[in-house]
Amino acid sequence: MGLFDRFRNHESKGQEFYCIVGLGNPGRQYEDTKHNVGFLVIDRLAEKYDIKVDKFKNKAFVGDGMIRDKRVLLVKPQTFMNLSGESVREIVNFYKIPQERFVVIFDDTSLPCGSVRIREKGSHGGHNGIRNIIEQMGTDQFYRIKVGIGEKPSGWDLADYVLAKFNDEDLAAMDEGIDKAAKGVELMLSRGIAEAANRVNVKPKTAKKQKAAAEKEAEEKKAAEEQKPAEAVKEVTEA
């Protein structure tokens, strides 16, 4: 039985079928880059729920399975970021996915690294993948999960920044953000977008804060160790 047949069977039984799209660029040279955060979230969901995203259909790798008692289609477009809408439009039209069951996950430079924001609709915000989806579908009325990758540093070209890999300092925050985005998908499926947004749209403990806290703790420990000999000398002198 093909994907479309499974979809029709679930719909005929009154069961909801969701389409979860993660944006990115295909090819090994783009693996683990900032622009591929959408792919990374799909991979995290696929691993957790044992869904194989390995069928090539409608210019994308797709895989169907169950998340929290909901049938889902996980999608990784292979058209390159700027043409994401070509694949998304074909998939949404083919499976006749309604707006309230269509979610796009992508990177956002306006959010701190690892932060997550869930939105019901909105403009493309300068993101070329979302821009092309809006153009191809003729609407901005679709759910989206934005994962922060941090603001572009001064002097950097935007393309160079989003196509770069994460540095060690940001990896912990990004891992947290990817987990939180995956949790957002789960909540959207089980409790709806409003509840998902309320629980997910909070600032993470960033790697920088964790590093600062560790450095402060180390300095305090060092100061305490240095103070012990001085106190011992004082006690001997007074005796």
Side-chain angles (χ1 to χ4, degrees), residues 70 73 88-89 106 151 161 166 184 203 223 230:
K70 297 290 194 305
L73 184 69
V88 170
R89 174 177 51 79
F106 59 99
E151 186 178 1
Y161 178 68
F166 293 101
K203 292 182 179 180

Tab-separated table of all heavy atoms in Angstrom, residues 70 73 88-89 106 151 161 166 184 203 223 230:
chain	number	residue	atom	x	y	z
A	70	LYS	N	-0.907	9.968	16.272
A	70	LYS	CA	-1.270	10.674	15.043
A	70	LYS	C	-0.391	10.169	13.892
A	70	LYS	O	0.813	9.982	14.049
A	70	LYS	CB	-1.067	12.188	15.196
A	70	LYS	CG	-1.950	12.847	16.253
A	70	LYS	CD	-3.398	12.873	15.822
A	70	LYS	CE	-4.231	13.821	16.678
A	70	LYS	NZ	-4.169	13.553	18.121
A	73	LEU	N	3.514	12.466	8.155
A	73	LEU	CA	4.423	12.355	7.024
A	73	LEU	C	5.568	13.318	7.300
A	73	LEU	O	5.363	14.529	7.359
A	73	LEU	CB	3.714	12.725	5.715
A	73	LEU	CG	4.536	12.557	4.434
A	73	LEU	CD1	4.779	11.073	4.150
A	73	LEU	CD2	3.825	13.209	3.254
A	88	VAL	N	7.202	21.329	-1.470
A	88	VAL	CA	6.119	21.448	-0.485
A	88	VAL	C	4.762	21.556	-1.167
A	88	VAL	O	3.784	20.910	-0.766
A	88	VAL	CB	6.375	22.666	0.433
A	88	VAL	CG1	5.139	22.956	1.286
A	88	VAL	CG2	7.590	22.420	1.318
A	89	ARG	N	4.678	22.364	-2.201
A	89	ARG	CA	3.402	22.531	-2.906
A	89	ARG	C	2.915	21.204	-3.482
A	89	ARG	O	1.730	20.862	-3.373
A	89	ARG	CB	3.553	23.568	-4.023
A	89	ARG	CG	2.308	23.717	-4.910
A	89	ARG	CD	2.506	24.807	-5.950
A	89	ARG	NE	3.744	24.648	-6.702
A	89	ARG	CZ	3.907	23.779	-7.712
A	89	ARG	NH1	2.904	23.008	-8.096
A	89	ARG	NH2	5.064	23.712	-8.342
A	106	PHE	N	12.158	25.515	10.443
A	106	PHE	CA	13.284	26.164	9.755
A	106	PHE	C	14.113	27.001	10.709
A	106	PHE	O	13.703	27.282	11.846
A	106	PHE	CB	12.771	27.029	8.606
A	106	PHE	CG	11.817	28.123	9.020
A	106	PHE	CD1	12.260	29.430	9.179
A	106	PHE	CD2	10.477	27.850	9.256
A	106	PHE	CE1	11.393	30.442	9.558
A	106	PHE	CE2	9.597	28.850	9.634
A	106	PHE	CZ	10.058	30.154	9.784
A	151	GLU	N	22.168	35.666	15.727
A	151	GLU	CA	22.292	36.761	14.771
A	151	GLU	C	23.610	36.691	14.004
A	151	GLU	O	24.647	36.304	14.545
A	151	GLU	CB	22.207	38.094	15.503
A	151	GLU	CG	22.173	39.307	14.598
A	151	GLU	CD	22.040	40.600	15.381
A	151	GLU	OE1	21.993	40.533	16.621
A	151	GLU	OE2	21.993	41.669	14.748
A	161	TYR	N	27.153	32.826	6.623
A	161	TYR	CA	26.818	32.521	8.019
A	161	TYR	C	25.876	31.324	8.119
A	161	TYR	O	26.120	30.392	8.897
A	161	TYR	CB	26.184	33.743	8.687
A	161	TYR	CG	25.772	33.487	10.108
A	161	TYR	CD1	26.730	33.268	11.100
A	161	TYR	CD2	24.426	33.452	10.474
A	161	TYR	CE1	26.356	33.023	12.411
A	161	TYR	CE2	24.046	33.212	11.782
A	161	TYR	CZ	25.015	32.996	12.752
A	161	TYR	OH	24.645	32.743	14.043
A	166	PHE	N	27.977	24.966	13.212
A	166	PHE	CA	27.940	25.560	14.541
A	166	PHE	C	29.290	25.398	15.226
A	166	PHE	O	29.954	24.361	15.081
A	166	PHE	CB	26.861	24.895	15.404
A	166	PHE	CG	25.461	25.167	14.940
A	166	PHE	CD1	24.763	24.217	14.212
A	166	PHE	CD2	24.849	26.375	15.215
A	166	PHE	CE1	23.472	24.464	13.774
A	166	PHE	CE2	23.558	26.635	14.777
A	166	PHE	CZ	22.872	25.683	14.057
A	184	GLY	N	7.880	20.572	20.414
A	184	GLY	CA	6.827	21.431	19.888
A	184	GLY	C	5.929	20.695	18.917
A	184	GLY	O	4.700	20.867	18.925
A	203	LYS	N	12.917	31.177	26.478
A	203	LYS	CA	14.348	31.205	26.198
A	203	LYS	C	15.032	29.981	26.795
A	203	LYS	O	14.739	29.566	27.900
A	203	LYS	CB	14.978	32.478	26.775
A	203	LYS	CG	14.527	33.755	26.082
A	203	LYS	CD	15.223	34.959	26.665
A	203	LYS	CE	14.796	36.241	25.955
A	203	LYS	NZ	15.469	37.434	26.508
A	223	ALA	N	39.488	30.511	44.413
A	223	ALA	CA	39.663	31.530	45.453
A	223	ALA	C	39.572	30.917	46.834
A	223	ALA	O	40.319	31.279	47.754
A	223	ALA	CB	38.605	32.624	45.277
A	230	ALA	N	46.307	30.913	53.819
A	230	ALA	CA	46.409	32.184	54.530
A	230	ALA	C	45.742	32.093	55.890
A	230	ALA	O	46.256	32.594	56.888
A	230	ALA	CB	45.760	33.285	53.696
